Every structure is written in C-alpha cells, then in structure tokens.
Amino acid sequence: MRIDVISLFPEFIRESAALGVVGRAGERGLLQVQAWNPRDYATDNYRRVDQRPFGGGPGMLMLAEPLAACLGAAKAADPAPAHVVYLSPQGPRLTQARVRELAAMPRLVLLCGRYEGLDERFIEREVDEEISIGDYVLSGGELAAAVLVDAVGRLQEGALNHADSASQDSFEDGLLDCPHYTRSEAAGTEGVPAVLLSGDHAAIARWRRQQSLGRTWLRRPDLLARARLDAADRALLADFIRQWQAIQPPRA
Ligand code: ADE
C-alpha cells in the first residue's frame, strides 16, 4: 500500500513512519509512505502557504493554490487511484472498522491542515473523506495522520510478526482486550490469575473472553451495547458481573 502525506512538516511524517512496526512494514516493502510539502509548490518569493479568510476575523487558512499543486503532484506520482482523506476534527471519528477498510485500499493521500484549516471549496472538490481521531482539537493534522498511518500500516499483510496478533487486539471484535501478564523473574507468578498457569487452553481462552467482555462492560459500556454477543458470551458476562458485584465494598 502507498500513503502520500501532504504536510507543512514532512520531517515529522517521515520520522514517525520510520518507527516500529510501521517502519518495518516499510522496510519489508509492504507500505510506502511519502511526505510532500505544499511550501515546495508555493509560487511567490516568500513561499507563502497561508492566507486570510474572507469575512475577516483572527486566524489564517492554508493557501489553496500550493496545496492543490502539491496534491496534484502527489496524485500523479503513482497511477493507482488515490482516496483523499483530510484529517480534521470536523470528520466522523476514526474506528477500527474504518481502519480495516482503509487498510485494504491500494492508495491513500492524507491532507494535514494547519492554521484554521482549508478552503471549503477545496475540500468539496478534492477530499473524499474527512476523518477525526477524537473529540479534541490538535494544532494540525500531522499527529492524526501519523495515527492513521500507524493503524493502517500495521494491518498490512506481513507487517505484524504473529499472524494472529491483530485479530486479538482491542476493538477488532468491538470489545476491549483482556489483561496480559508477562513472565518475570523478579515478580514470579504473584498476582497472576491461576487459570493462566493451568496449561488448560480451553479454560484460558474462556477466561480471556470473559475478561474482555467484563472490561468492556466496566470501561466502555457504549462499545458493549453495539457488540454482537452470543449466548456463551452473555453467560460469561453475567458470571463476570456476579463476581464483580460480590467484591464491591458496601455503600456507605
Ligand atoms: N486536526 C486537528 N484536530 C484534529 C482531530 N481531532 N482529528 C484529526 N485531525 C485534526
């Protein structure tokens, strides 16, 4: 997969894409991330990339012309059709389900806004989708683009070392992940749930599923309300809730 990122801070994009799993995906040829700077497409002597908005008021917008020229160059760099995403707090919030869909596309172009954002006509003309990474405002789209590159990059076939580790992640089935315990010389097995030491793989799988359901119930009831649970899941959760209620201190 190829991802082109249009940003006034291309170094940040290059450096973040070179780290960890995503960096390795790049080395393995599974993911190609290229950063483009609209300033390289500015035509005036000052290489200006910002402009005052119509209607006045504080704040500047990104100048449309260098951005359009930069986007044109990025698109033309590869014949594969590009899905253009503008990272913005105005978009729908990113979910793991959407990440999976984006990860299956051959090519993305990510637009990172700075200042107060982009000209609305440019968005209407050029952008296929706006995406927000959460209900808070960042000072630019770069961190959001790095989040998207990471989430999509790690799902490229062969990027993760254990083939099944993505399918066990939080959110892959709409639930949070179960707790994990590392083998440690210093801490030994103290505080590790006995079932994990039992060697009984069916019991371990059941316990993990129950923890995943229970954690989601405790921490993210909104996710649980949308998750599809079968009868076995519902029984595990009911059992978790009973155990949890039994250890709650009495209310004063
Ligand atoms: N740019 C500024 N804030 C953002 C957010 N929350 N998500 C995506 N892009 C942004």
Side-chain angles (χ1 to χ4, degrees):
M1 170 179 209
R2 173 177 177 136
I3 307 180
D4 294 280
V5 185
I6 296 184
S7 162
L8 292 172
F9 298 95
E11 277 316 307
F12 173 80
I13 301 296
R14 285 185 200 114
E15 282 172 25
S16 62
L19 299 172
V21 170
V22 171
R24 210 170 55 215
E27 286 161 15
R28 290 178 180 170
L30 308 169
L31 180 72
Q32 184 191 351
V33 178
Q34 187 158 339
W36 301 76
N37 191 345
R39 206 178 286 284
D40 295 336
Y41 297 83
T43 48
D44 72 336
N45 288 342
Y46 302 99
R47 302 219 296 157
R48 255 187 85 170
V49 287
D50 60 348
Q51 179 66 285
R52 285 195 310 274
F54 279 124
M60 305 290 270
L61 292 175
M62 284 182 82
L63 189 58
E65 288 77 12
L67 204 55
C70 186
L71 176 61
K75 278 180 164 176
D78 191 295
H83 183 72
V84 179
V85 175
Y86 171 38
L87 283 315
S88 126
Q90 261 77 249
R93 250 180 310 172
L94 185 61
T95 62
Q96 186 64 20
R98 191 63 192 140
V99 166
R100 276 216 166 268
E101 290 166 356
L102 294 169
M105 293 182 178
R107 200 176 165 208
L108 297 175
V109 173
L110 308 183
L111 289 173
C112 303
R114 279 274 149 180
Y115 318 117
E116 298 301 310
L118 310 187
D119 182 287
E120 194 63 26
R121 295 162 297 182
F122 177 86
I123 298 173
E124 282 167 13
R125 198 171 56 239
E126 302 287 0
V127 171
D128 296 310
E129 178 178 12
E130 286 186 60
I131 290 180
S132 165
I133 61 159
D135 293 338
Y136 41 81
V137 179
L138 304 167
S139 51
E142 284 75 15
L143 284 161
V147 165
L148 191 52
V149 168
D150 188 286
V152 160
R154 65 189 288 285
L155 291 184
Q156 298 307 301
E157 184 86 50
L160 294 171
N161 281 335
H162 295 286
D164 62 351
S165 60
S167 62
Q168 289 177 9
D169 285 341
S170 281
F171 298 114
E172 275 303 332
D173 58 1
L175 299 175
L176 301 185
D177 199 3
C178 64
H180 299 280
Y181 297 85
T182 182
R183 289 168 201 269
S184 147
E185 284 291 328
T189 57
E190 173 115 26
V192 178
V195 63
L196 297 180
L197 308 171
S198 70
D200 179 344
H201 295 294
I204 292 171
R206 228 173 10 254
W207 179 86
R208 286 184 170 149
R209 183 71 185 169
Q210 184 174 50
Q211 291 295 313
S212 178
L213 290 157
R215 278 202 156 179
T216 312
W217 176 72
L218 284 170
R219 300 179 185 192
R220 292 292 305 273
D222 57 313
L223 292 179
L224 193 63
R226 273 179 276 141
R228 266 189 292 245
L229 307 185
D230 61 15
D233 282 338
R234 281 194 294 275
L236 284 174
L237 179 59
D239 183 49
F240 179 96
I241 293 171
R242 261 195 308 278
Q243 290 179 40
W244 181 84
Q245 283 167 341
I247 57 166
Q248 292 315 295
R251 286 212 207 144

